[in-house]
mmCIF file of all heavy atoms in Angstrom:
data_model
loop_
_atom_site.group_PDB
_atom_site.id
_atom_site.type_symbol
_atom_site.label_atom_id
_atom_site.label_comp_id
_atom_site.label_asym_id
_atom_site.label_seq_id
_atom_site.Cartn_x
_atom_site.Cartn_y
_atom_site.Cartn_z
ATOM 1 N N ARG L 14 84.753 -24.082 -60.975
ATOM 2 C CA ARG L 14 86.162 -24.403 -60.729
ATOM 3 C C ARG L 14 86.605 -25.614 -61.541
ATOM 4 O O ARG L 14 87.744 -25.701 -61.979
ATOM 5 C CB ARG L 14 86.379 -24.678 -59.235
ATOM 6 C CG ARG L 14 86.291 -23.429 -58.357
ATOM 7 C CD ARG L 14 86.838 -23.717 -56.966
ATOM 8 N NE ARG L 14 86.083 -24.764 -56.292
ATOM 9 C CZ ARG L 14 85.029 -24.541 -55.510
ATOM 10 N NH1 ARG L 14 84.600 -23.289 -55.329
ATOM 11 N NH2 ARG L 14 84.404 -25.538 -54.915
ATOM 12 N N GLN L 15 85.683 -26.556 -61.753
ATOM 13 C CA GLN L 15 86.032 -27.782 -62.474
ATOM 14 C C GLN L 15 86.059 -27.585 -63.986
ATOM 15 O O GLN L 15 86.757 -28.301 -64.700
ATOM 16 C CB GLN L 15 85.026 -28.891 -62.130
ATOM 17 C CG GLN L 15 85.104 -29.362 -60.698
ATOM 18 C CD GLN L 15 83.994 -30.354 -60.366
ATOM 19 O OE1 GLN L 15 82.992 -30.435 -61.075
ATOM 20 N NE2 GLN L 15 84.183 -31.107 -59.304
ATOM 21 N N GLY L 16 85.285 -26.640 -64.474
ATOM 22 C CA GLY L 16 85.156 -26.468 -65.923
ATOM 23 C C GLY L 16 86.062 -25.386 -66.466
ATOM 24 O O GLY L 16 86.685 -24.624 -65.735
ATOM 25 N N GLU L 17 86.141 -25.348 -67.790
ATOM 26 C CA GLU L 17 86.952 -24.345 -68.465
ATOM 27 C C GLU L 17 86.100 -23.461 -69.364
ATOM 28 O O GLU L 17 86.634 -22.687 -70.152
ATOM 29 C CB GLU L 17 88.035 -25.040 -69.304
ATOM 30 C CG GLU L 17 89.004 -25.867 -68.483
ATOM 31 C CD GLU L 17 90.041 -26.562 -69.337
ATOM 32 O OE1 GLU L 17 89.914 -26.474 -70.579
ATOM 33 O OE2 GLU L 17 90.960 -27.169 -68.782
ATOM 34 N N ALA L 18 84.777 -23.552 -69.237
ATOM 35 C CA ALA L 18 83.882 -22.797 -70.106
ATOM 36 C C ALA L 18 83.956 -21.306 -69.798
ATOM 37 O O ALA L 18 84.055 -20.891 -68.649
ATOM 38 C CB ALA L 18 82.446 -23.297 -69.940
ATOM 39 N N ASP L 19 83.923 -20.510 -70.831
ATOM 40 C CA ASP L 19 83.921 -19.050 -70.699
ATOM 41 C C ASP L 19 82.854 -18.521 -71.654
ATOM 42 O O ASP L 19 83.144 -17.769 -72.586
ATOM 43 C CB ASP L 19 85.310 -18.491 -71.032
ATOM 44 C CG ASP L 19 85.420 -17.010 -70.723
ATOM 45 O OD1 ASP L 19 84.645 -16.513 -69.884
ATOM 46 O OD2 ASP L 19 86.257 -16.335 -71.348
ATOM 47 N N ASP L 20 81.621 -18.952 -71.396
ATOM 48 C CA ASP L 20 80.530 -18.727 -72.340
ATOM 49 C C ASP L 20 79.385 -17.933 -71.720
ATOM 50 O O ASP L 20 79.267 -17.802 -70.502
ATOM 51 C CB ASP L 20 79.957 -20.064 -72.824
ATOM 52 C CG ASP L 20 80.972 -20.919 -73.555
ATOM 53 O OD1 ASP L 20 81.908 -20.346 -74.145
ATOM 54 O OD2 ASP L 20 80.826 -22.148 -73.526
ATOM 55 N N TYR L 21 78.543 -17.427 -72.618
ATOM 56 C CA TYR L 21 77.209 -16.951 -72.256
ATOM 57 C C TYR L 21 76.203 -17.979 -72.759
ATOM 58 O O TYR L 21 76.426 -18.656 -73.778
ATOM 59 C CB TYR L 21 76.888 -15.611 -72.912
ATOM 60 C CG TYR L 21 77.619 -14.430 -72.347
ATOM 61 C CD1 TYR L 21 78.336 -13.574 -73.182
ATOM 62 C CD2 TYR L 21 77.572 -14.135 -70.989
ATOM 63 C CE1 TYR L 21 79.007 -12.471 -72.681
ATOM 64 C CE2 TYR L 21 78.238 -13.031 -70.471
ATOM 65 C CZ TYR L 21 78.949 -12.202 -71.332
ATOM 66 O OH TYR L 21 79.616 -11.116 -70.830
ATOM 67 N N ILE L 22 75.085 -18.078 -72.047
ATOM 68 C CA ILE L 22 73.960 -18.881 -72.518
ATOM 69 C C ILE L 22 72.751 -17.964 -72.630
ATOM 70 O O ILE L 22 72.448 -17.210 -71.702
ATOM 71 C CB ILE L 22 73.646 -20.039 -71.555
ATOM 72 C CG1 ILE L 22 74.769 -21.070 -71.571
ATOM 73 C CG2 ILE L 22 72.324 -20.714 -71.936
ATOM 74 C CD1 ILE L 22 74.539 -22.251 -70.641
ATOM 75 N N LEU L 23 72.095 -18.002 -73.765
ATOM 76 C CA LEU L 23 70.846 -17.273 -73.950
ATOM 77 C C LEU L 23 69.710 -18.281 -73.944
ATOM 78 O O LEU L 23 69.796 -19.329 -74.579
ATOM 79 C CB LEU L 23 70.863 -16.505 -75.268
ATOM 80 C CG LEU L 23 69.580 -15.727 -75.615
ATOM 81 C CD1 LEU L 23 69.920 -14.429 -76.331
ATOM 82 C CD2 LEU L 23 68.622 -16.552 -76.479
ATOM 83 N N GLU L 24 68.642 -17.955 -73.227
ATOM 84 C CA GLU L 24 67.458 -18.816 -73.170
ATOM 85 C C GLU L 24 66.260 -18.027 -73.665
ATOM 86 O O GLU L 24 65.982 -16.916 -73.187
ATOM 87 C CB GLU L 24 67.213 -19.269 -71.727
ATOM 88 C CG GLU L 24 66.039 -20.207 -71.537
ATOM 89 C CD GLU L 24 66.398 -21.665 -71.770
ATOM 90 O OE1 GLU L 24 67.596 -21.942 -72.004
ATOM 91 O OE2 GLU L 24 65.487 -22.504 -71.705
ATOM 92 N N LEU L 25 65.556 -18.569 -74.653
ATOM 93 C CA LEU L 25 64.348 -17.930 -75.190
ATOM 94 C C LEU L 25 63.185 -18.909 -75.093
ATOM 95 O O LEU L 25 63.303 -20.055 -75.539
ATOM 96 C CB LEU L 25 64.557 -17.498 -76.643
ATOM 97 C CG LEU L 25 63.380 -16.784 -77.316
ATOM 98 C CD1 LEU L 25 63.884 -15.727 -78.293
ATOM 99 C CD2 LEU L 25 62.443 -17.741 -78.062
ATOM 100 N N GLN L 26 62.082 -18.460 -74.520
ATOM 101 C CA GLN L 26 60.912 -19.315 -74.363
ATOM 102 C C GLN L 26 60.077 -19.343 -75.642
ATOM 103 O O GLN L 26 59.610 -18.301 -76.108
ATOM 104 C CB GLN L 26 60.041 -18.823 -73.202
ATOM 105 C CG GLN L 26 60.607 -19.115 -71.835
ATOM 106 C CD GLN L 26 60.886 -20.598 -71.661
ATOM 107 O OE1 GLN L 26 62.025 -21.027 -71.774
ATOM 108 N NE2 GLN L 26 59.853 -21.362 -71.407
ATOM 109 N N LEU L 27 59.922 -20.544 -76.181
ATOM 110 C CA LEU L 27 59.080 -20.698 -77.374
ATOM 111 C C LEU L 27 57.632 -20.971 -77.004
ATOM 112 O O LEU L 27 56.714 -20.615 -77.742
ATOM 113 C CB LEU L 27 59.596 -21.857 -78.230
ATOM 114 C CG LEU L 27 60.776 -21.576 -79.152
ATOM 115 C CD1 LEU L 27 61.210 -22.852 -79.848
ATOM 116 C CD2 LEU L 27 60.414 -20.510 -80.171
ATOM 117 N N GLY L 28 57.418 -21.644 -75.877
ATOM 118 C CA GLY L 28 56.052 -21.981 -75.498
ATOM 119 C C GLY L 28 56.024 -22.846 -74.260
ATOM 120 O O GLY L 28 57.059 -23.198 -73.688
ATOM 121 N N GLY L 29 54.825 -23.213 -73.848
ATOM 122 C CA GLY L 29 54.675 -24.016 -72.657
ATOM 123 C C GLY L 29 54.695 -23.159 -71.409
ATOM 124 O O GLY L 29 54.430 -21.954 -71.445
ATOM 125 N N GLU L 30 55.033 -23.767 -70.285
ATOM 126 C CA GLU L 30 55.055 -23.058 -69.017
ATOM 127 C C GLU L 30 56.256 -22.114 -68.927
ATOM 128 O O GLU L 30 57.248 -22.267 -69.631
ATOM 129 C CB GLU L 30 55.111 -24.056 -67.857
ATOM 130 C CG GLU L 30 53.938 -25.022 -67.812
ATOM 131 C CD GLU L 30 52.629 -24.332 -67.510
ATOM 132 O OE1 GLU L 30 52.651 -23.304 -66.800
ATOM 133 O OE2 GLU L 30 51.582 -24.811 -67.980
ATOM 134 N N SER L 31 56.142 -21.135 -68.050
ATOM 135 C CA SER L 31 57.221 -20.184 -67.852
ATOM 136 C C SER L 31 58.388 -20.834 -67.114
ATOM 137 O O SER L 31 58.228 -21.854 -66.441
ATOM 138 C CB SER L 31 56.730 -18.968 -67.060
ATOM 139 O OG SER L 31 56.240 -19.379 -65.798
ATOM 140 N N VAL L 32 59.575 -20.237 -67.248
ATOM 141 C CA VAL L 32 60.759 -20.693 -66.527
ATOM 142 C C VAL L 32 61.333 -19.514 -65.750
ATOM 143 O O VAL L 32 61.034 -18.348 -66.024
ATOM 144 C CB VAL L 32 61.836 -21.274 -67.474
ATOM 145 C CG1 VAL L 32 61.285 -22.419 -68.278
ATOM 146 C CG2 VAL L 32 62.400 -20.185 -68.366
ATOM 147 N N VAL L 33 62.184 -19.835 -64.781
ATOM 148 C CA VAL L 33 62.855 -18.816 -63.980
ATOM 149 C C VAL L 33 64.363 -18.923 -64.224
ATOM 150 O O VAL L 33 64.925 -20.020 -64.170
ATOM 151 C CB VAL L 33 62.556 -18.995 -62.480
ATOM 152 C CG1 VAL L 33 63.399 -18.019 -61.654
ATOM 153 C CG2 VAL L 33 61.071 -18.786 -62.201
ATOM 154 N N LEU L 34 65.004 -17.788 -64.507
ATOM 155 C CA LEU L 34 66.455 -17.718 -64.580
ATOM 156 C C LEU L 34 66.955 -16.928 -63.376
ATOM 157 O O LEU L 34 66.372 -15.884 -63.028
ATOM 158 C CB LEU L 34 66.923 -17.026 -65.861
ATOM 159 C CG LEU L 34 66.624 -17.696 -67.205
ATOM 160 C CD1 LEU L 34 67.281 -16.919 -68.338
ATOM 161 C CD2 LEU L 34 67.073 -19.141 -67.219
ATOM 162 N N GLY L 35 68.025 -17.419 -62.747
ATOM 163 C CA GLY L 35 68.570 -16.733 -61.595
ATOM 164 C C GLY L 35 70.077 -16.619 -61.649
ATOM 165 O O GLY L 35 70.770 -17.555 -62.057
ATOM 166 N N GLN L 36 70.578 -15.449 -61.246
ATOM 167 C CA GLN L 36 72.034 -15.234 -61.167
ATOM 168 C C GLN L 36 72.305 -13.947 -60.386
ATOM 169 O O GLN L 36 71.566 -12.963 -60.504
ATOM 170 C CB GLN L 36 72.657 -15.136 -62.569
ATOM 171 C CG GLN L 36 74.180 -15.115 -62.561
ATOM 172 C CD GLN L 36 74.755 -15.511 -63.919
ATOM 173 O OE1 GLN L 36 74.566 -14.821 -64.905
ATOM 174 N NE2 GLN L 36 75.472 -16.633 -63.953
ATOM 175 N N ASP L 37 73.355 -13.969 -59.574
ATOM 176 C CA ASP L 37 73.802 -12.785 -58.827
ATOM 177 C C ASP L 37 72.693 -12.170 -57.982
ATOM 178 O O ASP L 37 72.590 -10.940 -57.853
ATOM 179 C CB ASP L 37 74.363 -11.724 -59.786
ATOM 180 C CG ASP L 37 75.602 -12.200 -60.521
ATOM 181 O OD1 ASP L 37 76.275 -13.124 -60.014
ATOM 182 O OD2 ASP L 37 75.895 -11.665 -61.605
ATOM 183 N N GLY L 38 71.830 -13.013 -57.409
ATOM 184 C CA GLY L 38 70.763 -12.512 -56.555
ATOM 185 C C GLY L 38 69.526 -12.052 -57.298
ATOM 186 O O GLY L 38 68.526 -11.660 -56.676
ATOM 187 N N ARG L 39 69.555 -12.092 -58.634
ATOM 188 C CA ARG L 39 68.384 -11.711 -59.425
ATOM 189 C C ARG L 39 67.640 -12.959 -59.873
ATOM 190 O O ARG L 39 68.262 -13.985 -60.159
ATOM 191 C CB ARG L 39 68.795 -10.907 -60.668
ATOM 192 C CG ARG L 39 69.419 -9.568 -60.393
ATOM 193 C CD ARG L 39 69.729 -8.844 -61.703
ATOM 194 N NE ARG L 39 70.718 -9.565 -62.503
ATOM 195 C CZ ARG L 39 72.022 -9.421 -62.367
ATOM 196 N NH1 ARG L 39 72.508 -8.591 -61.451
ATOM 197 N NH2 ARG L 39 72.869 -10.091 -63.128
ATOM 198 N N GLU L 40 66.326 -12.861 -59.965
ATOM 199 C CA GLU L 40 65.515 -13.918 -60.555
ATOM 200 C C GLU L 40 64.457 -13.269 -61.434
ATOM 201 O O GLU L 40 63.883 -12.246 -61.068
ATOM 202 C CB GLU L 40 64.842 -14.780 -59.489
ATOM 203 C CG GLU L 40 65.781 -15.727 -58.776
ATOM 204 C CD GLU L 40 65.041 -16.756 -57.937
ATOM 205 O OE1 GLU L 40 63.794 -16.641 -57.824
ATOM 206 O OE2 GLU L 40 65.692 -17.662 -57.400
#
């Protein structure tokens, strides 16, 4: 509500430990 961003963000793992992405009930 505070921001005006209308973007997508792509995340690609290059290395190290794994990460979790979550949205709309999915992880």
Side-chain angles (χ1 to χ4, degrees):
R14 289 194 299 269
Q15 293 174 342
E17 298 179 354
D19 188 23
D20 299 332
Y21 288 127
I22 292 180
L23 178 145
E24 182 86 4
L25 181 146
Q26 286 304 101
L27 279 176
E30 301 293 330
S31 59
V32 302
V33 173
L34 295 185
Q36 188 160 65
D37 297 337
R39 295 182 297 273
E40 286 192 354

